Amino acid sequence: MSKRSQAVETIQRELIEFARRARGVSARSHPGLSLVAYTLLTHVERHEQTRAADLAEHYVLDKSTVSRQLAELADRGLLERVADPRNHRSRVLRVTAKGRRHLDVAREQAVGAMADRLTDWPDADLARFASYLERYNSA
Amino acid sequence: MSKRSQAVETIQRELIEFARRARGVSARSHPGLSLVAYTLLTHVERHEQTRAADLAEHYVLDKSTVSRQLAELADRGLLERVADPRNHRSRVLRVTAKGRRHLDVAREQAVGAMADRLTDWPDADLARFASYLERYNSA
DNA sequence: ACAACGAGTTGTACTCTACAACCATCTGGC
DNA sequence: GCCAGATGGTTGTAGAGTACAACTCGTTGT
């Protein structure tokens, strides 16, 4: 097997490995905001004018799943569904101030835990790792 | 915020982003072998003498969850639980020939899909990305 | 104006998961 | 040797996340 396909296989395996552990770690570290909810909320925060259907497509989830997750987030006051005057079928999503606070706390914890694992990484490696991940995800 | 903590935050966000999509993508691409089952089987293949408790610890899962997943894998003939003569409490796990075939097929699909996303990456970047992921996961 | 489409919600069922209770086996101190 | 506590695993039960199907309501195109 070529060096290249070995690298691809390693990337595949290690990413899956991470994904598999992330759920459990996240459930333990911030109970009360599931990984799904956290991710959806983060996405809405970062992307203006997101609608439920966009989330479903992006995260490969059924629209019913997204609908219920958003309903829960809205119930808890972390997110608003704003009627779009131009299109009465859909509603545009927006994180509330309360939601933003929750996200800040969760993010701080998550980033803190991650920073611990990365303490002995040189700055240059961190920057490159970050850019690789962005590049991979945006493909 | 420093460049360094920006990088850490990006890494955190992008890894979670990946994890969140992995489940759905995997469920669609290889139905019949869940992401959990696939990961456990891969782990057993790569690590001799793995026991159920090791998997539970490694993947941050309850031992009951692992027990059921393994029971299913064993039922389907993909994995064996071999009695350990030295310790009658535990059983050592081993992938069967059938299990190996399943893994090969699943891996080939997964790696193929991933290779498509990575076609325009230079070899050096792939190698570095792979090594970063290994380094991160082994921490 | 009506049919097709798009966005979202709700009913239902299944899987993954945790927690608790349990059984069997091993280990260390006495 | 023997018992208490630890370790490995299974089973009962319940809850969260998810998909699929059927539905409503609004929009678009012919």
Side-chain angles (χ1 to χ4, degrees), chain A residues 68-81 96:
Chain A
R68 278 183 250 261
Q69 291 290 336
L70 295 179
E72 162 99 25
L73 285 169
D75 276 357
R76 294 173 56 184
L78 306 179
L79 175 133
E80 287 172 329
R81 290 179 280 193
T96 63

Side-chain angles (χ1 to χ4, degrees), chain A residues 17-135:
Chain A
E17 174 89 2
F18 171 82
R20 200 72 278 289
R21 306 217 280 181
R23 204 214 112 268
V25 170
S26 140
R28 275 164 176 66
S29 61
H30 40 84
L33 198 56
S34 76
L35 186 57
V36 176
Y38 174 76
T39 317
L40 295 183
L41 207 51
T42 301
H43 189 103
V44 172
E45 187 188 38
R46 290 174 56 82
H47 301 86
E48 300 285 321
Q49 303 289 102
T50 300
R51 296 161 311 130
D54 303 329
L55 293 171
E57 194 197 344
H58 187 76
Y59 291 106
V60 198
L61 290 169
D62 193 79
K63 56 187 180 165
S64 65
T65 302
V66 172
S67 174
R68 278 183 250 261
Q69 291 290 336
L70 295 179
E72 162 99 25
L73 285 169
D75 276 357
R76 294 173 56 184
L78 306 179
L79 175 133
E80 287 172 329
R81 290 179 280 193
V82 183
D84 180 351
R86 288 161 214 279
N87 187 341
H88 286 263
R89 283 178 301 188
S90 66
R91 285 185 286 176
V92 167
L93 304 171
R94 214 170 54 196
V95 178
T96 63
K98 184 177 174 189
R100 232 171 277 274
R101 284 196 300 278
H102 272 245
L103 275 183
D104 286 343
V105 171
R107 182 160 37 226
E108 198 194 336
Q109 287 179 359
V111 169
M114 189 148 297
D116 287 347
R117 307 187 83 182
L118 298 171
T119 36
D120 54 352
W121 287 48
D123 284 7
D125 284 347
L126 278 189
R128 250 191 321 235
F129 190 28
S131 82
Y132 286 158
L133 285 167
E134 281 182 316
R135 187 162 152 203

Side-chain angles (χ1 to χ4, degrees), chain B residues 102-122:
Chain B
H102 271 246
L103 274 184
D104 286 343
V105 172
R107 184 162 32 226
E108 197 195 335
Q109 288 179 358
V111 168
M114 190 148 295
D116 286 347
R117 307 187 82 181
L118 298 172
T119 37
D120 55 351
W121 287 48

Side-chain angles (χ1 to χ4, degrees), chain B residues 13-99:
Chain B
R13 175 174 18 86
E14 299 294 328
L15 278 174
I16 293 291
E17 175 89 1
F18 172 83
R20 201 71 278 290
R21 301 215 273 184
R23 203 212 112 270
V25 170
S26 140
R28 275 165 176 65
S29 60
H30 40 85
L33 197 58
S34 77
L35 186 58
V36 192
Y38 175 76
T39 318
L40 296 184
L41 208 51
T42 301
H43 189 103
V44 172
E45 187 187 37
R46 290 175 54 82
H47 300 86
E48 299 285 321
Q49 303 288 104
T50 301
R51 295 161 311 130
D54 302 329
L55 293 170
E57 194 197 343
H58 187 75
Y59 291 106
V60 197
L61 291 169
D62 192 80
K63 55 186 181 166
S64 64
T65 302
V66 172
S67 174
R68 280 183 247 261
Q69 291 289 336
L70 295 180
E72 162 98 25
L73 285 170
D75 276 357
R76 293 174 56 185
L78 307 178
L79 174 134
E80 286 171 329
R81 291 179 279 194
V82 182
D84 180 352
R86 291 160 211 282
N87 187 339
H88 287 263
R89 283 177 302 189
S90 65
R91 284 186 286 177
V92 168
L93 304 172
R94 215 170 54 197
V95 178
T96 62
K98 185 177 174 189

